[in-house]
């Protein structure tokens, strides 16, 4: 166990692409965590998806041994956090396990929307912060201007901000010295009963559930009988260890230390993130406050394309929810798609990542329904409902009011793209709250309906600003709106997966765009296919997929025209009959492509 005064726990927080994982690489190298042979770029981004997309999805912990300039040896527990708004729950969990943060700002880009959001998260946890300017070796770097910006926009003293280049390694030892000198050591009593917080957990095929904990008081040793206070489960700790970054067994974890516990947990429900672990024989007085539960903002249905995979899908979702505490799911039945699950996510990128992880890690073939947000309905008889799925919307005559969630969005954008951003927000029914300047960049604050942001707002924002805008949001509450359910009918049958709730003013344009898109996506059949968009019983848009036509007159050469006509009439009658019974197969790619409305 490490002496408390020699221990430092810190997280690296920053906007996307400001260099968190690269700085983590350099720190691991300086502290000798890995040999040159084992070292590679973004060593902590272990998931295949993270390496492909170049983003951090899961916060990763690493324990480093560092000999400071004062000659003492220190133990540093570092957590590398994600930067994307959809993974802010990972960040808030990581911050709870630390006493301080390194605020990393790109010396050429400056303060971005997510930088602000993460600073506020760190302040909520009473963190000591060290401002660090990264990428000072770039020709476009302006450290002095960015220091002023940090003081102006965030209100943090940047006079002692460190200037580094995580890529070349310049100034990384200064960061390690600042951590030792400026961040507080954790507090805790070694003799008190064990009290540890479950920060993360994941499923290992051979070991069962592995739990990452931060010990607050007492000691956690192998062979101890542990009680999870929230779930009331009792397990024996078979192995206790740390990540450096490879797994390494230790005898015990003391106060302030972060490490993993393997205790043969077989059922996923026993290890909930935010739970308190204590000694079964000598329990602590009360559990820790845990984390605020995350509130999903986007919902969609996940169905196996083969009904036989339902049980496998359920197990896979359970294992994934264990590793991603912000992801929620419950069973759902759809007339068109059969048995599946209604899943809640923190945003569209989160949805995309979960879907990809299910397909890659668990080898599942899935059908996804249109993402939707949660609406609050008041019926004419006074009953109040929460609507997660547009298909479940009651008859229009029974609905008194529909309320939709609104968000408060902060957008930082260079001055020349401001007009395009304002236009985009106005198109999405936005209300401007504030417009201020930080140097040559505008900071726009808008209130927007969440269902306008969910689909493709982020992509559109990036394209109208050539990638220079940064965007962050939080939920502000519910507001009444003139909303209607838009149904898509293919050959007269409603398609559950494409039902949407839209604002009445945009229903027609949305319906027309969806029909046009589906016309190109649905393959031709031997009969005509009608694609319609309807509100209630009223059809507002229609497209027709023409039939594939077999040349029935090919064998007739010469002879009377009536013979050809007879064959064509016969074909027409056959097609009519087929259309009445014809079942249209819609490919999965059509669903996804139809939902990405793009420029329409």
């Amino acid at each position: 166990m490490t002496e408390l005064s020699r221990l430092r726990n810190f997280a690296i927080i920053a906007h996307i692409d400001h260099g968190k994982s690269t700085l983590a690489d350099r720190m691991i190298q300086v502290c000798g965590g890995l040999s040159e042979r084992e070292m590679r770029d973004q060593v902590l981004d272990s998931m295949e998806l993270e390496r492909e997309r170049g983003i951090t999805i899961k916060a990763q912990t690493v324990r480093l041994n560092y000999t400071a300039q004062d000659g003492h040896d220190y133990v540093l527990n570092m957590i590398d956090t994600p930067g994307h708004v959809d993974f802010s729950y990972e960040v808030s969990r990581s911050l709870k396990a630390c006493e301080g943060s390194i605020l990393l700002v790109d010396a050429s880009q400056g303060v971005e929307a997510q930088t602000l959001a993460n600073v506020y998260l760190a302040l909520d946890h009473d963190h000591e912060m060290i401002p660090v300017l990264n990428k000072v070796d770039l020709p476009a770097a302006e450290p002095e201007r960015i220091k002023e910006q940090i003081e102006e926009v965030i209100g943090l003293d940047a006079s002692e901000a460190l200037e580094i280049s995580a890529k070349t390694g310049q100034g990384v030892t200064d960061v390690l010295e600042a951590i030792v000198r400026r961040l507080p050591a954790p507090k805790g009593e070694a003799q008190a009963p064990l009290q540890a917080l479950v920060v993360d957990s994941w499923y290992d095929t051979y070991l069962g559930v592995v739990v990452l904990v931060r010990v607050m008081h007492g000691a956690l040793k192998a062979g101890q009988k542990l009680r999870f206070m929230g779930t009331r489960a009792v397990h024996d700790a078979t192995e206790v260890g740390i990540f450096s970054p490879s797994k390494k067994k230790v005898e015990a974890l003391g106060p302030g230390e972060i490490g993993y516990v393997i205790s043969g947990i077989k059922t996923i429900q026993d290890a909930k993130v935010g739970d308190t672990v204590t000694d079964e024989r000598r329990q602590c007085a009360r559990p820790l406050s845990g984390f605020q539960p995350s509130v999903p903002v986007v919902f969609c249905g996940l169905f196996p394309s083969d009904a036989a995979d339902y049980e496998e899908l359920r197990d896979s979702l359970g294992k994934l929810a264990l590793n991603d505490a912000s992801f929620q799911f419950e069973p759902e039945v759809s007339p068109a798609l059969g048995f599946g699950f209604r899943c809640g996510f923190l945003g569209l990128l989160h949805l995309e990542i979960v879907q990809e992880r299910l397909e890659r890690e668990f080898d599942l073939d899935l059908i996804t329904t249109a993402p939707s947000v949660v609406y609050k309905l008041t019926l004419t008889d006074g009953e109040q409902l929460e609507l997660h799925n547009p298909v479940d919307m009651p008859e229009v005559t029974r609905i008194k009011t529909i309320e939709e969630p609104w968000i408060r969005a902060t957008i930082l954008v260079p001055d020349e793209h401001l007009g395009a951003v304002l236009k985009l927000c106005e198109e999405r029914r936005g209300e401007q709250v504030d417009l201020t300047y930080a140097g040559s960049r505008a900071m726009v604050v808008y209130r927007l309906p969440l269902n306008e942001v969910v689909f493709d707002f982020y992509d559109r924002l990036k394209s109208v600003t050539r990638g220079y805008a940064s965007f962050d949001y939080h939920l502000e509450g519910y507001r009444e709106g003139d909303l209607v359910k838009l149904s898509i009918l293919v050959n007269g049958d409603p398609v559950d997966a494409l039902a949407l709730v839209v604002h009445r003013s945009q229903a027609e344009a949305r319906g027309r765009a969806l029909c046009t898109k589906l016309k190109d996506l649905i393959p031709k059949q031997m009969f005509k296919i009608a694609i319609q968009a309807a509100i209630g019983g009223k059809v507002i848009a229609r497209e027709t997929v023409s039939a594939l036509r077999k040349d029935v007159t090919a064998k007739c050469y010469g002879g009377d025209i009536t013979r050809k006509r007879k064959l064509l009439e016969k074909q027409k009658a056959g097609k009519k009959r087929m259309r009445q019974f014809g079942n249209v197969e819609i490919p999965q790619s059509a669903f996804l492509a139809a939902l990405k409305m793009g420029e329409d």
Side-chain angles (χ1 to χ4, degrees), residues 297 373-378 385 387 401-407 428-431 448-453 475-484 501-506:
V297 294
V373 299
V374 184
Y375 298 95
K376 289 185 176 170
L377 271 59
T378 307
L385 297 174
L387 181 74
T401 59
I402 304 178
E403 291 181 11
E404 61 178 334
W406 280 65
I407 58 165
R428 301 296 170 107
R429 300 192 282 132
E431 297 171 0
L448 288 154
L450 183 62
N451 76 346
E452 296 286 345
V453 175
L475 277 176
E476 208 177 44
Y478 277 78
R479 234 197 271 180
E480 198 180 314
D482 183 13
L483 302 165
V484 291
V501 174
V502 292
H503 195 265
R504 195 182 294 276
S505 64
Q506 294 170 341

Side-chain angles (χ1 to χ4, degrees), residues 11-24 27 80-81 83 101-107 109-112 114-116 118-119 129-136 146 150 154 156 161-167 170-172 175:
I12 306 177
I13 56 174
H15 188 78
I16 314 152
D17 283 343
H18 280 206
K20 296 178 290 298
S21 300
T22 310
L23 176 60
M27 286 183 174
D80 174 27
T81 63
S101 315
I102 290 177
L103 174 67
L104 201 62
V105 180
D106 185 323
Q109 304 266 3
V111 176
E112 304 270 12
Q114 205 52 36
T115 318
L116 275 175
N118 287 336
V119 166
M129 263 182 283
I130 302 174
V132 175
L133 303 184
N134 190 19
K135 309 189 188 182
V136 291
I146 303 302
I150 291 174
I154 302 177
L156 196 67
L162 304 169
E163 295 180 19
I164 69 158
S165 164
K167 194 172 185 181
Q170 173 196 335
V172 173
V175 177

Side-chain angles (χ1 to χ4, degrees), residues 237-250:
T238 51
E239 188 185 315
V240 174
I242 55 160
F243 291 103
S244 68
S246 41
K247 268 164 111 178
K248 190 171 158 192
K249 269 192 203 178
V250 294

